[in-house]
Amino acid sequence: MPLPRQVFIAVIGAGGVGKAFLAQLSHLASNLSRSPGAPTYLSLILLSTSKKSVYHSDYKSLSNWEAELQNSTTPPLPLPQLADYLVKAPGKVVLVDNTSNQDVADSYPPFLKKGISIVTPNKKAFSSTYQLWTDIFSGAANGTGTGGYVFHESSVGAGLPVISTLKDLVETGDDVRKIEGVFSGTMSFLFNSFQPVSGGGGKFSAEVKTAKEKGFTEPDPRDDLNGLDVARKLTILARLVGLKIESPTSFPVQSLIPKELESCSSGDEFLSRLPEFDNEMEELKADAEKEGKVVRFVGSVDVPKGEVKVGLEKFDKSHPIAALKGSDNIIAFYTKRYGDNPLIIQGAGAGGEVTAMGVTSDLIKVVRLLQ
């Protein structure tokens, strides 16, 4: 009879995604402890935010993490000390990084080499320098190394199975020719409102303001409108098909921030001045309408040419990208096997619950791999 297993979980980040993940972790732990055969016990041993943390020197499980974190006055462990703490745990450890922090991302290679597995939605780890990408996967057990495992499904498309699908296509020998889609829930909502297929739509500045009020944008909308978030996701997908993309600024990325507003001192100042530049976007909309098309903000990877780009494109109103609703993402894989009809993945590409679902499903993969 196989012996019960224990896997220790450490979590960095307890914001929207972090809280949703911790709720899902509780559900998963309950299921795994009752599984037939050898039950697996998940034990939350550390929870850390940017300001404080909670953990015990004897690796005792955090049974009431919310209250313990709230009452804690312990500062977060510096990353090297965190690695030392986790590597001494009496069993296999998975670090769940629910942040978008570059310093945490930069520390993945030493964590993995110490045998600590990582699951994360942190795009910065996989879209920064190509050297960091190489260092991560050369140390990971599911790369070319012998360390911990690393999975990052939620770094593109939140809970949508974008990365796992692309990996399956590549690893089973399909010829991926092109990847194209709407990769930002913010940009999706914005352009579906700005130029609906049925016609009409508001002024661009008004739609940006509405998107911010509904919580679809970052506190400063320029962090969405500069296109870098989409560029990071395209960098990750391009690398997965074998392109050596150096960084998300090494290919054309169209920013929708008027040059004159790049130096605004705040997001509020930016929003107050954006109406001054509505005419340019209205012209784009009118030109597309004359052609029976709509404008959308998309990213694409042309694999044979090795080209990646992010920006505005016009699409026929019958095209799946044009017909997208709300803040949904859509990703189309054009491959040899799928011929003229691409493999399409579509659905909610943002939000705490669906992003956390991608993280939790990655955790399940790691738990199954850990022996």
Side-chain angles (χ1 to χ4, degrees):
M1 182 80 176
L3 291 169
R5 294 189 307 148
Q6 186 161 32
V7 178
F8 296 96
I9 312 293
V11 178
I12 305 178
V17 175
K19 281 191 171 69
F21 167 76
L22 286 159
Q24 293 176 23
L25 176 65
S26 174
H27 178 78
L28 175 63
S30 175
N31 282 352
L32 290 177
S33 67
R34 297 196 308 268
S35 61
T40 298
Y41 297 102
L42 300 184
S43 184
L44 178 65
I45 56 167
L46 178 140
L47 178 56
S48 180
T49 67
S50 58
K51 294 184 172 63
K52 53 187 179 176
S53 64
V54 54
Y55 59 94
H56 301 289
S57 57
D58 61 357
Y59 302 94
K60 189 176 71 176
S61 187
L62 307 179
S63 51
N64 187 5
W65 63 264
E66 223 157 351
E68 289 182 74
L69 184 64
Q70 198 172 349
N71 297 327
S72 173
T73 55
T74 307
L77 281 168
L79 291 162
Q81 279 92 306
L82 174 61
D84 289 342
Y85 171 75
L86 296 180
V87 87
K88 289 171 186 162
K92 300 285 187 181
V93 177
V94 184
L95 175 66
V96 182
D97 171 22
N98 288 318
T99 75
S100 58
N101 184 293
Q102 185 69 58
D103 290 338
V104 180
D106 289 341
S107 72
Y108 286 5
F111 274 78
L112 290 163
K113 281 176 184 157
K114 288 175 186 286
I116 299 161
S117 295
I118 297 169
V119 297
T120 183
N122 189 342
K123 289 185 283 291
K124 288 177 181 168
F126 309 96
S127 62
S128 297
T129 63
Y130 191 75
Q131 186 61 54
L132 179 58
W133 168 273
T134 305
D135 289 347
I136 287 170
F137 288 103
S138 63
N142 52 326
T144 55
T146 56
Y149 294 92
V150 61
F151 288 96
H152 57 107
E153 184 69 73
S154 288
S155 63
V156 179
L160 298 175
V162 177
I163 286 176
S164 52
T165 300
L166 180 57
K167 279 184 173 175
D168 286 347
L169 291 170
V170 171
E171 289 171 6
T172 59
D174 200 354
D175 180 12
V176 180
R177 291 160 180 173
K178 185 180 179 185
I179 304 167
E180 181 179 54
V182 173
F183 292 87
S184 160
T186 304
M187 294 298 205
S188 179
F189 177 82
L190 200 48
F191 282 91
N192 295 340
S193 307
F194 171 65
Q195 191 173 24
V197 171
S198 56
K203 299 275 191 198
F204 187 69
S205 60
E207 297 300 351
V208 173
K209 191 165 180 283
T210 301
K212 182 177 189 292
E213 286 165 358
K214 287 183 180 284
F216 283 116
T217 73
E218 295 293 331
D220 185 336
R222 286 175 294 179
D223 293 338
D224 294 294
L225 297 177
N226 64 14
L228 187 60
D229 177 68
V230 176
R232 285 191 178 281
K233 294 168 185 174
L234 267 289
T235 299
I236 293 167
L237 297 182
R239 287 172 175 175
L240 287 169
V241 293
L243 300 183
K244 292 186 176 178
I245 303 299
E246 182 48 44
S247 76
T249 55
S250 63
F251 52 84
V253 178
Q254 183 178 0
S255 171
L256 301 185
I257 304 167
K259 283 242 181 309
E260 297 88 335
L261 302 188
E262 285 175 355
S263 58
C264 283
S265 59
S266 69
D268 289 339
E269 185 196 339
F270 167 74
L271 280 176
S272 70
R273 292 195 54 200
L274 191 57
E276 298 168 28
F277 301 88
D278 274 336
N279 286 347
E280 193 181 329
M281 294 301 285
E282 285 299 307
E283 282 174 27
L284 280 172
K285 185 197 277 193
D287 288 346
E289 190 60 50
K290 279 180 204 157
E291 296 175 39
K293 295 182 177 182
V294 293
V295 177
R296 295 293 182 261
F297 194 86
V298 299
S300 64
V301 181
D302 183 323
V303 183
K305 289 183 180 172
E307 290 176 358
V308 184
K309 63 178 178 174
V310 171
L312 294 172
E313 304 269 352
K314 290 183 279 193
F315 291 90
D316 289 324
K317 291 183 178 182
S318 59
H319 195 284
I321 285 177
L324 212 54
K325 297 281 189 288
S327 61
D328 277 6
N329 283 190
I330 183 168
I331 296 92
F333 296 115
Y334 294 84
T335 79
K336 185 177 180 182
R337 277 187 203 138
Y338 282 85
D340 296 332
N341 296 312
L343 169 58
I344 290 176
I345 297 170
Q346 182 178 338
E353 289 291 339
V354 289
T355 303
M357 183 194 82
V359 178
T360 307
S361 67
D362 277 348
L363 176 59
I364 294 167
K365 289 174 195 164
V366 173
V367 168
R368 285 177 180 154
L369 288 165
L370 292 173
Q371 298 301 326

